[in-house]
Amino acid sequence: MSGSLLSIDGVWKEFHGHQVLRGIELEVQPHEVVSLIGASGSGKSTLLRCVNLLETVDDGRILLDGDEITDPRANVDDVRKKLGIVFQSFNLFPHMSVLENITLAPRQVHKVTKAEAEQSAHELLTRFGLEGKAKAFPDQLSGGQQQRVAIIRALATQPRLMLLDEVTSALDPELVREVLEIIRELKQSGMTMILTTHEMSFCRDISDTVCFLDGGVLLEKGPPEKIFTDPEHGRTRDFLRTVLEAGRF
């Protein structure tokens, strides 16, 4: 589709003879929020890792801003400058302060001056309610605060696209809300995002497009009101019924 920020074109990925992704086709438009849902092992996280070039695709291609990033000649470092990725484990450097964690990539990868990187970091910390934590170390923060710092660290490089992989799954329930509020704020600011989540009510509220993956196949996609109220496939209905019974709505 013309104007897509990200195009995933017939992507296949195999691990040890097992097809984890099977011909994925997906277009992501600028400022769109796309949620990937499905059971564990359906391929959601692997798809994000392929987009960030943490995994190589076996077939198909991925285009970012019209450039094929899965071309072996593509500069991986240049591609990742345009992407921010946040995992369920916070992956903060424990020996660095919050400020140092946030400014590391802008300074070393993007060659931003220390003063500029720190000014931007302080602005982001203030924006997301952590202005008093710049000098703190990760083990002095709650899980929710650590995940917020991880998101801020990804934002500090001013990415074109944010990838969020189950960013609330490692958090206690009372800490989930503060992280979801950050994602909601990012949507309001126009950030393009692809996220995997088991928080179905949040997914329904924030997404422009919801994709249901099953056994490595993108079985169904559409606006949240369609997917959650009138899904076409029985597998989608079964998954949503299971989620509802588990109290995840």
Side-chain angles (χ1 to χ4, degrees), residues 21 57 172 246:
L21 298 176
V57 304
D172 294 332

Side-chain angles (χ1 to χ4, degrees), residues 123-196:
E123 289 172 356
L124 286 167
L125 287 167
T126 299
R127 175 180 167 187
F128 294 115
L130 291 172
E131 59 272 18
K133 300 297 184 181
K135 295 181 180 179
F137 286 84
D139 63 1
Q140 297 172 311
L141 305 177
S142 71
Q145 289 171 331
Q146 289 186 60
Q147 191 60 289
R148 285 152 71 191
V149 171
I151 293 172
I152 290 170
R153 181 177 61 179
L155 287 172
T157 59
Q158 300 181 332
R160 296 274 289 137
L161 172 66
M162 282 283 280
L163 309 172
L164 305 168
D165 190 15
E166 296 289 358
V167 293
T168 61
S169 65
L171 300 177
D172 294 332
E174 63 270 19
L175 300 177
V176 169
R177 182 177 177 181
E178 63 186 73
V179 174
L180 295 183
E181 284 304 315
I182 281 195
I183 301 173
R184 196 183 307 277
E185 204 273 354
L186 291 179
K187 176 182 172 67
Q188 292 171 351
S189 71
M191 176 62 70
T192 310
M193 291 182 279
I194 307 176
L195 58 97
T196 70

Side-chain angles (χ1 to χ4, degrees), residues 12-21 43 45-47 49-50 54-56 58:
W12 291 73
K13 178 64 182 176
E14 176 184 304
F15 288 121
H16 309 297
H18 174 61
Q19 296 288 356
V20 181
L21 298 176
S45 295
T46 299
L47 183 57
R49 291 175 65 85
C50 287
L54 291 169
E55 301 288 353
T56 57
D58 296 323

